[in-house]
Amino acid sequence: MATALYRLGRFSMRRRWYVLLAWLLVLAGIGTAAVTGGGTFSDSFSIPGTESAQAQKVLAERFGSQFAQEAASLGGHDGATATPATARVILAPPAGTTVMDPTTAQAAGAILAQAGAVDGVTGVSDPFTARTIAPNGSALYADVQLAAPTADVPAATVTALEAVVKAAQDSGWRATISGGPFDPALKIISGTESVGLLAALVVLVVTLGSLLAAGMPIVTALLGVAIGAAGILGVAAFTDVSSATLALALMLGLAVGIDYALFILSRYRTLLAEGSTPLDAGGRAVGTAGSAVVFAGVTVIIASAGLTVVGIPFLGTMGIAAAATVAVAVLIAITLLPALLGFAGTRLTPRRARAADNEDDDAIVASRWGRLVTGHPVMVLVAGIVVIGTLAIPSLSLRLGLPDASQFPASTHARQAYDLQADTFGPGFNGPLVVLVDSPAGGATAAAVTVAERLGTLTDVALVAPPIPNQAGDAAIVTVIPTGGPNSEQTATLVHAIRAERADLEKTTGADITVTGAAAANIDISAKLASALPTFLLLVVGLALVLLLVAFRSILVPVTAAIGFLLSVAASFGATVAVYQWGWLAGVFNVSGPGPLLSFMPVLLVGVLFGLAMDYEVFLVSRMREDFVHGATARRAVIVGFEHGSRVVVAAAIIMASVFVAFVFGGSTTIAPIAFALGVGILVDALIVRMTLIPAAMTLLGSAAWWLPRWLDRALPSVDIEGAQLTRGLAEDPTLSGTSVHPAS
């Protein structure tokens, strides 16, 4: 593979104009298709096949569009729906009065009449007729039906309704409006990502000592994510794609795109400093560092694409999108980057004095740390595991759930409405459970009455609303209000209790009974993920370990790599629980409302972080194997490989973490904890696991670290990731390098 990549690198440098034009045409073509396709993103997390999803489908069939829209909203706001939007106004009268007082009720009616008179509003429900009044009369709410879908509601309508609510607040009422256009808009790009790029540029300048060299990884990464984003937008025109899918692809594309270019560029400049011509240096850099990039990229692609085995469509879409974006980053690194190096010519050659000084300083620091780690491997292993174990302790309290308005910033309409409704109606009104009584043979109303009476006796039930039958009489719904919020443990317990009563109730009533709602959907997602996780881990980790086995021709190196990854994941989960669930340092990380972590985050984090962690394993250990293959002792290979690879690996980890952290402050309650977990995981994996624990472990293993049975050695394909065969081939056959055309000529 190294030889093939060597030739590809030289070809790209010679035909740099053609390569550059080809990539620009790819961007133009995909971008045009994306713009003309009209794709949109949503935050819907529905999972076909689960009980809650099936209940939503039957609700839509039996009760029509109103319940279809409500069922779709259980998984989150869907900005792409074409159904006319509905907003909700909640009114709590001044202290000392209730909405049951005639004067107060009249004032509430006047406020709602003003809302109904706004242009673009087609109707406002009557809370006294619909009985949407708090049991103690402390508040009421009314649904405001709008003429247009959420995305098409005129700004004037939104402003006028906000003015009605503001006027009520000025007169002493506690008033909020939420839903439809008043929910937080989907934030895919917020502008904070530029901070991550700026931090990456600073690290690159410090690492490479050249602004020209530092700019190349940024340019290639931006081109890669532009192609990836355009492709995802194009796909969104044909299927449901969540905004989190695009955000994850952007994060990974920027992070790996910069890192992969950095590894090749760093090797290229080293070869220039050693006296190689630009054309030969470019070929060798792509042949050696490019081999590591390809293997690392394939590992990330496998780990990301493995999310499809979970059986959850939106999660599989996220994995495929991430894998495709990483694949583009790899292709750009081994084709477009060499082309850009060809344009730069010898201008990327390091200043010898400064380069020597930097290399000496880096070598001294790396040598001291490497000798400390390899000189006291047992102590280092124990200390590193203790540090990671401490970070991982909070993960024992991990709770999972779906996002709700309690995690939105306090300034948003949705959060204000959530808090006011919880204060007046009770926490359970923010996450009611919908029990569907389906009786195709008829008699649904009587069956629903029986169900309602039974459910009213359960613990953690605040209220059971009177059953609502459909017009055909073959289905009815029973709304159960829990005592706890949507993501509380009490509500989850109640869902299990209702489902435990199902068999007896179905036998008694002859109807089919299913439960949906936010808490029920959360339980179904968790169960689906739990059943798929073992298969997912076996597939992803197994295939990745096979790749590492082929790359390093060792049994123990892939095993130690996998163990180190598990430690990184544990630390990442622990830190994320502490910040986003416990609320530690909430102000620092802009956490508005601590709560359970996303239900699908564990499997997503495992898949993505595994691939990224293997990046650093490949880049660092490939240099160690390179020295071992060239005759160094096992311990010497660890030290020398560490000295050569540590500087670039540390820089790459800081760059990747900077990109992830920038997304933490982007305002998305969905993507922020994922970005935080990835950032922490990368830093722990690179700085503690790969730079500390792995060298210590390999020192203890000695030559056994590179042991491979002869029969397996003969069976495995030779991919030459360290470039040893390429080096021998160039020495034995100078014609392999082809013509010596200077790339700048």
Side-chain angles (χ1 to χ4, degrees):
M1 183 173 72
T3 301
L5 289 175
Y6 169 82
R7 289 171 172 161
L8 177 62
R10 290 173 62 89
F11 171 83
S12 298
M13 293 189 75
R14 285 179 181 157
R15 303 290 186 264
R16 50 193 177 274
W17 280 109
Y18 294 105
V19 173
L20 176 60
L21 180 61
W23 278 110
L24 292 178
L25 289 176
V26 169
L27 175 61
I30 297 179
T32 301
V35 172
T36 58
T40 56
F41 299 101
S42 73
D43 273 344
S44 179
F45 301 121
S46 61
I47 303 179
T50 61
E51 177 181 332
S52 56
Q54 183 62 27
Q56 292 172 16
K57 180 180 179 181
V58 176
L59 277 171
E61 294 173 352
R62 299 286 192 269
F63 289 87
S65 61
Q66 177 183 354
F67 285 97
Q69 181 181 5
E70 180 179 349
S73 68
L74 289 173
H77 172 66
D78 185 355
T81 179
T83 306
T86 300
R88 175 169 292 181
V89 174
I90 304 177
L91 299 173
T97 62
T98 71
V99 295
M100 304 307 296
D101 297 333
T103 303
T104 305
Q106 185 177 5
I111 295 172
L112 296 178
Q114 293 175 12
V118 171
D119 187 27
V121 174
T122 59
V124 178
S125 65
D126 183 352
F128 296 96
T129 301
R131 293 182 291 183
T132 54
I133 301 174
N136 59 2
S138 60
L140 56 78
Y141 68 81
D143 290 330
V144 179
Q145 187 67 46
L146 302 174
T150 295
D152 300 327
V153 175
T157 301
V158 175
T159 301
L161 287 173
E162 289 177 336
V164 171
V165 172
K166 181 63 169 58
Q169 293 172 344
D170 292 340
S171 62
W173 288 72
R174 286 191 295 165
T176 64
I177 187 169
S178 64
F182 301 96
D183 281 348
L186 301 178
K187 286 188 177 181
I188 301 172
I189 300 296
S190 64
T192 60
E193 297 78 14
S194 59
V195 177
L197 285 177
L198 180 61
L201 181 61
V202 171
V203 175
L204 287 169
V205 170
V206 172
T207 303
L208 301 174
S210 165
L211 187 60
L212 176 62
M216 286 189 175
I218 300 293
V219 171
T220 54
L222 287 176
L223 179 63
V225 298
I227 293 173
I232 294 171
L233 182 59
V235 172
F238 304 98
T239 186
D240 290 335
V241 178
S242 71
S243 60
T245 298
L246 180 58
L248 178 65
L250 290 178
M251 281 195 302
L252 288 180
L254 284 174
V256 302
I258 295 173
D259 278 10
Y260 292 168
L262 171 61
F263 285 114
I264 295 176
L265 180 60
S266 178
R267 181 65 66 91
Y268 172 75
R269 298 181 79 233
T270 299
L271 292 169
L272 285 181
E274 293 174 353
S276 297
T277 65
L279 185 60
D280 189 52
R284 288 174 180 264
V286 176
T288 54
S291 296
V293 165
V294 170
F295 262 86
V298 170
T299 306
V300 179
I301 291 169
I302 289 175
S304 301
L307 293 172
T308 56
V309 306
V310 176
I312 298 178
F314 75 84
L315 200 55
T317 302
M318 293 177 72
I320 293 296
T325 306
V326 173
V328 171
V330 172
L331 292 175
I332 285 179
I334 60 177
T335 57
L336 179 60
L337 178 62
L340 296 181
L341 297 179
F343 285 112
T346 58
R347 285 176 291 174
L348 292 176
T349 305
R351 296 180 184 178
R352 294 190 178 276
R354 184 180 63 189
D357 290 340
N358 289 342
E359 289 174 4
D360 288 344
D361 293 341
D362 294 333
I364 291 173
V365 174
S367 178
R368 287 176 178 174
W369 182 252
R371 293 181 187 278
L372 172 64
V373 170
T374 57
H376 306 85
V378 176
M379 180 185 69
V380 167
L381 280 173
V382 172
I385 292 174
V386 168
V387 171
I388 292 178
T390 303
L391 288 173
I393 289 176
S395 64
L396 299 175
S397 302
L398 175 66
R399 290 181 55 234
L400 302 175
L402 291 173
D404 60 36
S406 67
Q407 296 169 300
F408 292 157
S411 59
T412 61
H413 290 295
R415 174 64 181 276
Q416 293 168 3
Y418 183 97
D419 291 341
L420 179 57
Q421 185 158 287
D423 290 342
T424 55
F425 284 83
F429 277 83
N430 284 309
L433 301 177
V434 178
V435 179
L436 172 64
V437 180
D438 189 25
S439 182
T445 301
V449 170
T450 301
V451 171
E453 291 176 352
R454 177 77 65 85
L455 299 185
T457 64
L458 298 178
T459 307
D460 299 320
V461 172
L463 174 69
V464 177
I468 301 176
N470 65 349
Q471 292 183 351
D474 58 359
I477 61 170
V478 177
T479 302
V480 179
I481 307 299
T483 57
N487 282 317
S488 68
E489 295 182 6
Q490 301 100 302
T491 302
T493 301
L494 177 58
V495 172
H496 288 299
I498 293 174
R499 289 176 172 174
E501 296 285 337
R502 173 168 41 209
D504 185 55
L505 285 172
E506 288 181 341
K507 182 178 179 180
T508 302
T509 63
D512 294 327
I513 298 172
T514 51
V515 185
T516 187
N522 175 47
I523 291 173
D524 292 341
I525 291 176
S526 299
K528 186 89 171 180
L529 291 172
S531 62
L533 188 57
T535 303
F536 170 71
L537 286 175
L538 182 63
L539 174 65
V540 172
V541 177
L543 288 177
L545 289 181
V546 169
L547 281 177
L548 293 177
L549 175 66
V550 172
F552 296 124
R553 312 193 76 77
S554 163
I555 292 179
L556 294 180
V557 168
V559 172
T560 57
I563 293 174
F565 156 73
L566 294 176
L567 293 174
S568 300
V569 168
S572 177
F573 275 129
T576 308
V577 168
V579 172
Y580 286 90
Q581 184 176 312
W582 291 359
W584 290 8
L585 302 176
V588 175
F589 293 102
N590 198 28
V591 180
S592 301
L597 303 184
L598 287 169
S599 295
F600 58 86
M601 198 180 88
V603 67
L604 180 66
L605 184 62
V606 166
V608 174
L609 189 56
F610 184 86
L612 298 179
M614 293 305 101
D615 280 3
Y616 300 118
E617 180 76 13
V618 169
F619 292 131
L620 188 63
V621 179
S622 63
R623 292 303 300 263
M624 298 178 184
R625 174 168 173 77
E626 183 176 344
D627 287 289
F628 182 78
V629 169
H630 291 158
T633 64
R635 184 171 184 269
R636 180 64 180 168
V638 172
I639 295 175
V640 175
F642 185 87
E643 291 175 358
H644 283 285
S646 59
R647 179 172 182 249
V648 178
V649 168
V650 169
I654 294 174
I655 289 171
M656 189 173 285
S658 298
V659 172
F660 289 150
V661 170
F663 280 82
V664 171
F665 302 97
S668 171
T669 57
T670 299
I671 205 65
I674 297 174
F676 177 86
L678 288 173
V680 171
I682 285 299
L683 289 177
V684 170
D685 192 86
L687 301 182
I688 300 180
V689 174
R690 308 301 156 188
M691 301 291 292
T692 305
L693 300 185
I694 292 299
M698 294 185 67
T699 300
L700 289 175
L701 292 173
S703 298
W706 307 108
W707 174 79
L708 187 70
R710 291 185 179 180
W711 65 267
L712 186 56
D713 186 37
R714 291 191 298 268
L716 292 176
S718 179
V719 295
D720 189 26
I721 191 173
E722 69 281 348
Q725 295 178 17
L726 173 62
T727 302
R728 289 195 299 269
L730 290 173
E732 297 171 359
D733 183 10
T735 62
L736 182 64
S737 62
T739 59
S740 56
V741 177
H742 196 288
S745 61

